[in-house]
Amino acid sequence: MRKGADVSAALFGDLAHPTILYDGQGRGDARYMAALAEATLRTNPAQTAPLSTATLTSIARIAPTEGGHKQAAFIAVIGIFFLTLLLAGQAVGTMMEERSNKVIEVLAAAVPLEAVFFGKLLGMFGSALLFVAFWATLVSQVGGILPAQYAGAIGQIGPAVGVPMFFLLFFAYFAMAYLLLGAVFLGAGAQASTPRELQMLSLPITIIQVAMFGLALKAIGAPEAATTRFIELFPLSSPYAMAARAADKPDLWPHAAALGWQALWVAIAITIGARAFRRGVLKSGSGGPLFRRRNPVDMSVS
């Protein structure tokens, strides 16, 4: 048996009187083990009397196993992927709408363009939080309406860092994934002037997002591999992979570093998108960093 694999039933003791322990989902496996012990002792097929009398004992797991951690990691990756897929794509058409009604020129004249991008991103993230809160409330009640055997199986799924900390980290990584992908969508949408251009720009980003989802699933299957470290460091896949790490490993210090790293890339994505919009669409300014910009010198003659 490979290391870290979960078993649903275990047999020990003499084959004539074995004891078989099984969890809530392993009663069928326990019966198979009892039949296997009987078949092992039976040398004469004509015999009818039972040669093995097994004692089947149901046990409850007191803590999630490594398999439960893997399942929690898979659920975390699936959850972040679908939430960002459904919600972050709404940012792609925002700038195109404001280009058509000339609102963006007014905003760009009043405040730095980076602040405009970041403000729009936060506004859309606030709307996304309402969506997440609504569906999270519904999902939290699923355990109460499921049959007892399925509710017990769900109870065996658990993250390594603990449920409260896992929810905090899940929310933090969802926020980073949304902000990063939303910033990319916002920058791409700012370059489009027609719905057709908008679709052409958003499709490659969606394909890349699906690829990041696949990489995160690969990291779940091989948590100690060198490729997993790369997946955890690559900005677009880092939120997914680190959410999976929170479910699989109990250490917390890598998450503080990962969240800071991801926040840095959110700022980089916003800056790149704002500069591309300033140079390619507004045709104004050099797009230099905010701290290097100077107020224009008044050259008027009084």
Side-chain angles (χ1 to χ4, degrees):
M1 183 177 64
R2 65 182 178 85
K3 180 180 179 180
D6 290 346
V7 295
S8 57
L11 180 149
F12 64 95
D14 184 15
L15 290 180
H17 301 282
T19 299
I20 303 176
L21 304 179
Y22 67 93
D23 63 5
Q25 304 298 315
R27 184 168 181 82
D29 295 335
R31 290 175 176 174
Y32 171 76
M33 286 187 171
L36 189 62
E38 174 70 23
T40 302
L41 294 177
R42 186 176 299 276
T43 57
N44 184 3
Q47 291 179 341
T48 58
L51 301 178
S52 176
T53 304
T55 301
L56 277 62
T57 304
S58 176
I59 59 174
R61 300 182 188 270
I62 60 175
T65 62
E66 186 169 344
H69 297 336
K70 298 292 185 185
Q71 293 174 2
F74 183 78
I75 292 173
V77 172
I78 288 285
I80 293 178
F81 171 72
F82 277 105
L83 287 176
T84 53
L85 184 67
L86 292 173
L87 300 173
Q90 299 175 1
V92 71
T94 302
M95 297 301 294
M96 190 189 73
E97 295 175 359
E98 297 196 355
R99 283 180 58 186
S100 61
N101 54 27
K102 306 300 181 182
V103 173
I104 191 63
E105 284 84 353
V106 178
L107 293 175
V111 295
L113 202 54
E114 289 82 356
V116 175
F117 273 61
F118 186 61
K120 290 186 175 298
L121 201 56
L122 286 183
M124 290 182 291
F125 180 65
S127 300
L129 288 183
L130 294 177
F131 177 89
V132 173
F134 172 76
W135 285 104
T137 303
L138 293 182
V139 171
S140 65
Q141 305 303 316
V142 170
I145 61 177
L146 290 176
Q149 56 181 356
Y150 296 107
I154 293 177
Q156 296 178 8
I157 301 174
V161 296
V163 175
M165 180 57 67
F166 179 71
F167 279 129
L168 290 176
L169 290 174
F170 178 87
F171 173 78
Y173 287 125
F174 161 68
M176 289 301 169
Y178 179 91
L179 292 176
L180 183 56
L181 191 64
V184 175
F185 271 123
L186 202 62
Q191 304 298 316
S193 56
T194 63
R196 181 177 178 83
E197 293 180 358
L198 198 64
Q199 293 176 357
M200 294 179 63
L201 289 172
S202 60
L203 179 60
I205 301 174
T206 304
I207 294 175
I208 292 174
Q209 184 185 10
V210 175
M212 297 303 103
F213 170 69
L215 288 177
L217 294 182
K218 178 179 176 61
I220 294 176
E224 303 299 334
T227 54
T228 300
R229 303 287 84 80
F230 170 78
I231 296 170
E232 292 174 349
L233 289 174
F234 190 69
L236 292 176
S237 61
S238 180
Y240 305 100
M242 292 305 297
R245 183 188 179 95
D248 193 44
K249 297 182 180 297
D251 48 341
L252 294 177
W253 68 265
H255 300 289
L259 290 172
W261 172 251
Q262 294 161 21
L264 173 63
W265 278 97
V266 171
I268 292 174
I270 292 175
T271 303
I272 292 175
R275 290 185 179 182
F277 183 75
R278 183 183 297 109
R279 292 181 177 180
V281 179
L282 296 183
K283 307 294 184 181
S284 64
S286 61
L290 290 175
F291 61 86
R292 291 184 180 177
R293 298 179 194 171
R294 298 179 180 178
N295 294 327
V297 179
D298 186 5
M299 300 297 292
S300 60
V301 179
S302 58

